[in-house]
């Protein structure tokens, strides 16, 4: 995977109960959890090995597929976000007078989303719009809600403080909120990209996980 090749998920459905218990004990739970709501929902939990995910697919309340996946972010979760998103519609010629800040932000998001759709990725990760520095009004908040909406995917991360990311209905646009220890929001961002960078495993994470897994296998073989 470090060379960039695709890695097929490992199906856990055929494991005996005792073997599955060992896998669960070894993998544990890492900092990131993601889920896509709906009848065809998906739940993904990063293991203690960054970049190694436990991914469970459901139909209604029934689990239909249970896998281990290696990657920066679970593919099935990202696919849900891409599949339900639409291009942002043009802004009105005369935005509401009680929304002084949202129109300019939405115009920038629309340009970045269109570039993202055409495959022009920002050179240093996703384009980020910091809403925390703006004195947003109730009209601004309403305009964001009307033009962006909310999708089915929620991502939570404990690795960079308390962080929650939700996909919007606009292609490539995510709403990301950081909170303090009292669960009060301290940073409100809009990010354009495939998935939120805060939730993705980096190359050095994979290198560390590969080294630790190799040590674990050596210990198991020697036992």
């Amino acid at each position: 995977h470090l060379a960039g090749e695709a890695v097929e998920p490992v199906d856990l459905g055929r494991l005996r109960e005792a073997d599955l218990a060992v896998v669960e004990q070894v993998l544990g739970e890492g900092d990131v959890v993601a889920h896509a709501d709906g009848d065809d929902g998906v739940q993904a939990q990063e293991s203690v090995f960054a970049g190694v995910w436990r991914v469970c697919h459901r139909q209604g309340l029934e689990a239909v597929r249970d896998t281990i996946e290696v990657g920066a972010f679970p593919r099935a979760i990202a696919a849900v976000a891409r599949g339900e998103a639409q291009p942002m519609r043009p802004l009105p010629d005369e935005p509401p007078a009680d929304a002084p800040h949202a129109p300019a932000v939405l115009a920038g998001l629309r340009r970045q989303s269109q570039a993202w759709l055409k495959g022009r990725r920002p050179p240093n990760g996703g384009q980020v719009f910091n809403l925390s520095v703006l004195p947003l009004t109730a009209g601004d908040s309403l305009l964001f809600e009307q033009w962006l909406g909310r999708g089915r995917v929620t991502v939570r991360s404990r690795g960079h403080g308390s962080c929650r990311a939700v996909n919007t209905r606009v292609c490539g646009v995510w709403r990301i909120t950081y909170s303090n220890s009292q669960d009060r929001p301290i940073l409100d961002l809009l990010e354009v990209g495939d998935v939120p960078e805060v939730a993705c495993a980096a190359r050095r994470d994979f290198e560390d996980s590969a080294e630790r897994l190799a040590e674990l296998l050596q210990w198991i073989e020697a036992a």
Side-chain angles (χ1 to χ4, degrees):
H1 188 275
L2 293 177
E5 68 273 14
V7 178
E8 285 300 315
V10 178
D11 194 343
L12 301 179
R14 297 182 180 180
L15 287 183
R16 297 177 302 174
E17 186 174 340
D19 293 330
L20 182 59
V22 172
V23 171
E24 291 175 341
Q25 183 178 4
V26 168
L27 293 182
E29 293 186 356
D31 291 330
V32 183
V33 60
H35 62 86
D37 297 328
D39 291 337
D40 56 342
V42 185
Q43 174 86 19
Q45 170 70 61
E46 190 176 37
S47 73
V48 294
F49 303 96
V52 180
W53 304 80
R54 176 85 174 269
V55 183
C56 183
H57 299 252
R58 297 184 178 277
Q59 286 292 338
L61 298 177
E62 182 182 359
V64 295
R65 192 178 182 212
D66 190 3
T67 64
I68 298 297
E69 180 178 322
V70 177
F73 189 82
R75 285 174 284 181
I77 301 284
V80 171
R82 286 194 300 269
E84 66 177 359
Q86 302 291 328
M88 185 189 295
R89 65 186 190 275
L91 294 168
D93 293 333
E94 296 185 7
D98 63 346
H101 303 289
V105 175
L106 289 170
L109 280 170
R110 188 166 185 264
R111 289 192 298 270
Q112 292 295 332
S113 177
Q114 289 173 336
W116 178 83
L117 277 172
K118 295 176 182 178
R120 298 200 297 269
R121 305 293 192 265
N124 297 314
Q127 175 68 45
V128 176
F129 296 79
N130 187 351
L131 302 184
S132 300
V133 300
L134 301 175
L136 298 180
T137 66
D140 286 319
S141 298
L142 180 60
L143 200 61
F144 282 130
E145 182 179 337
Q146 291 173 337
W147 251 255
L148 298 179
R150 176 174 173 172
R152 295 168 51 197
V153 174
T154 301
V155 184
R156 296 183 185 275
S157 173
R158 301 188 302 265
H160 299 74
S162 176
C163 175
R164 179 174 179 267
V166 178
N167 72 313
T168 72
R169 293 286 183 175
V170 176
C171 295
V173 179
W174 296 78
R175 187 78 177 257
I176 304 172
T177 305
Y178 289 84
S179 301
N180 62 17
S181 58
Q182 285 76 43
D183 204 29
R184 293 179 181 174
I186 56 175
L187 190 59
D188 189 10
L189 309 173
L190 289 165
E191 181 177 323
V192 180
D194 293 304
V195 293
E197 291 243 337
V198 67
C200 293
R203 180 183 178 88
R204 63 187 179 190
D205 296 323
F206 287 114
E207 292 172 343
D208 178 67
S209 293
E211 182 178 342
R212 291 168 58 206
L213 283 167
E215 292 173 352
L216 176 64
L217 288 173
Q218 289 178 355
W219 178 81
I220 291 175
E221 291 171 354

